[in-house]
Amino acid sequence: RRPPRSTPLYSSAASDVYKRQVYKDDPTIMAWELANGPYPGNYSEKATNWIRAACENIKKTDKNHLVAIGNTGNLHVNYYDSIKLDCIDYGTLHVWPENFGWYNPKDSKTFDNAVAKTIEFMKSNIEGIRKLFGDEKKCKPIILEEFGLARDNRGLGANSTTQYRDQFYSTLFQFLKHYMDKKMLSGVNFWAWAGEGRPRHTVWQQTDDWVGDPPNEDQGWYSVYDNDTTLDVVRKYTRAFVPAYAVQDHTLKWSFWVFIGVPLVVVVAGISVDLLKRRKDDEDENLLVAM
């Protein structure tokens, strides 16, 4: 059968980006991600074939950067099949308690269940991936690249409190530190840094500040502002996470320090040098990636 019209359109648009000399040779780019949370539906095999074709196409042209899928986790029926592909360098996880139906920020009684579900989800995925590869040395790096929680009572502005979000971040970070220390998780990204930006409208309009949330979603839904107490939690665990890779993994030739907006918001992704054979040895040593 002829592939759907979207396939050649995607390939054409993507190649316009990664084939450009300015991008494929850019050392500040860590990786290409194929899509944001691509759900395969009931088409597991077709979805995996598409992922293989897309990432192999990138690898033919750009041999300098890592490639990831951008999928959510084992909620996708083809998650384990796709992460095993040779052209995929590391795995991604996304966890959204409210979006997944576990949490209602206007009903605090749902919070404890949301935390428990989140922990269960992360444990299932991280340990499932380790089991998939068996040998620790063969296991690909895994990054929790998206997670977030709404402000208390689903407030959107910087004046609304973040008690439950702060507790959620703290509990999740503390749980994930166990896997970071065991080298079963390589990085953590919260969503999303808004900094000094503030939402002017519920739905984004031209000239509004960029506060992290997509234009079609409520502005400020998952935003972390520069005056949020959430930053105290992030600072605390930034200091706790850094030694897991900076000190214990001092033999690694590559360390990626991934920042979201400011240096205090850190994701430590210790990516094995084995994944970066295509880089020249004289270019290794502590690459700083600003995202």
Side-chain angles (χ1 to χ4, degrees):
R1 290 181 56 187
R2 188 174 61 181
R5 186 167 176 262
S6 60
T7 300
L9 287 174
Y10 174 93
S11 299
S12 176
S15 65
D16 283 346
V17 174
Y18 63 75
K19 284 183 178 179
R20 293 180 187 177
Q21 199 76 22
V22 66
Y23 291 136
K24 71 178 184 178
D25 293 332
D26 190 337
T28 66
I29 295 173
M30 175 177 140
W32 299 115
E33 191 161 278
L34 301 184
N36 177 33
Y39 283 84
N42 296 319
Y43 301 96
S44 176
E45 184 176 353
K46 289 182 178 179
T48 302
N49 289 339
W50 175 83
I51 290 169
R52 180 188 292 107
C55 67
E56 287 180 348
N57 193 31
I58 292 174
K59 293 285 189 178
K60 288 177 183 177
T61 304
D62 183 349
K63 302 184 184 301
N64 296 321
H65 296 106
L66 304 172
V67 177
I69 300 166
N71 45 11
T72 299
N74 58 18
L75 294 177
H76 297 177
V77 294
N78 70 328
Y79 184 68
Y80 293 127
D81 288 338
S82 60
I83 198 175
K84 287 192 298 183
L85 295 173
D86 290 339
C87 57
I88 295 300
D89 293 307
Y90 65 93
T92 59
L93 295 170
H94 302 174
V95 61
W96 296 100
E98 184 178 347
N99 301 64
F100 291 176
W102 304 339
Y103 179 57
N104 178 358
K106 295 187 177 183
D107 182 1
S108 60
K109 294 179 181 178
T110 64
F111 179 75
D112 289 343
N113 178 65
V115 172
K117 287 278 192 182
T118 299
I119 297 300
E120 179 186 352
F121 173 83
M122 292 303 302
K123 181 178 180 180
S124 170
N125 276 277
I126 295 171
E127 296 187 359
I129 292 168
R130 175 56 61 88
K131 184 178 180 180
L132 176 72
F133 287 97
D135 187 343
E136 178 182 347
K137 294 181 179 179
K138 294 180 180 179
C139 191
K140 295 182 180 181
I142 305 300
I143 294 178
L144 172 57
E145 66 172 13
E146 284 185 23
F147 77 91
L149 203 76
R151 310 172 78 82
D152 297 344
N153 203 37
R154 213 176 187 281
L156 301 176
N159 292 328
S160 54
T161 59
T162 57
Q163 175 186 345
Y164 286 102
R165 182 216 274 160
D166 295 355
Q167 187 178 339
F168 176 76
Y169 272 43
S170 184
T171 303
L172 182 58
F173 282 148
Q174 184 59 46
F175 173 76
L176 294 178
K177 187 179 184 305
H178 164 74
Y179 289 111
M180 294 280 283
D181 290 342
K182 293 179 68 175
K183 309 299 175 64
M184 294 174 70
L185 183 69
S186 298
V188 182
N189 278 354
F190 70 79
W191 185 278
W193 174 244
E196 296 180 0
R198 298 293 186 268
R200 301 181 192 177
H201 307 92
T202 302
V203 177
W204 189 87
Q205 296 181 24
Q206 225 170 2
T207 74
D208 282 359
D209 292 342
W210 171 250
V211 294
D213 298 292
N216 60 306
E217 294 182 348
D218 289 353
Q219 298 300 286
W221 185 6
Y222 291 119
S223 299
V224 177
Y225 302 116
D226 59 343
N227 64 340
D228 281 349
T229 54
T230 308
L231 291 179
D232 294 332
V233 180
V234 173
R235 289 187 183 101
K236 174 183 176 181
Y237 284 96
T238 292
R239 298 186 184 103
F241 283 166
V242 167
Y245 281 91
V247 179
Q248 296 177 21
D249 225 359
H250 62 279
T251 58
L252 285 183
K253 290 186 178 181
W254 285 86
S255 290
F256 288 97
W257 306 94
V258 185
F259 299 91
I260 310 301
V262 292
L264 293 174
V265 187
V266 112
V267 179
V268 183
I271 307 295
S272 171
V273 71
D274 291 338
L275 296 178
L276 299 160
K277 292 175 182 175
R278 49 194 177 274
R279 290 284 197 174
K280 296 178 182 178
D281 288 341
D282 61 356
E283 294 176 326
D284 56 16
E285 300 301 334
N286 299 330
L287 178 63
L288 183 66
V289 185
M291 310 237 348

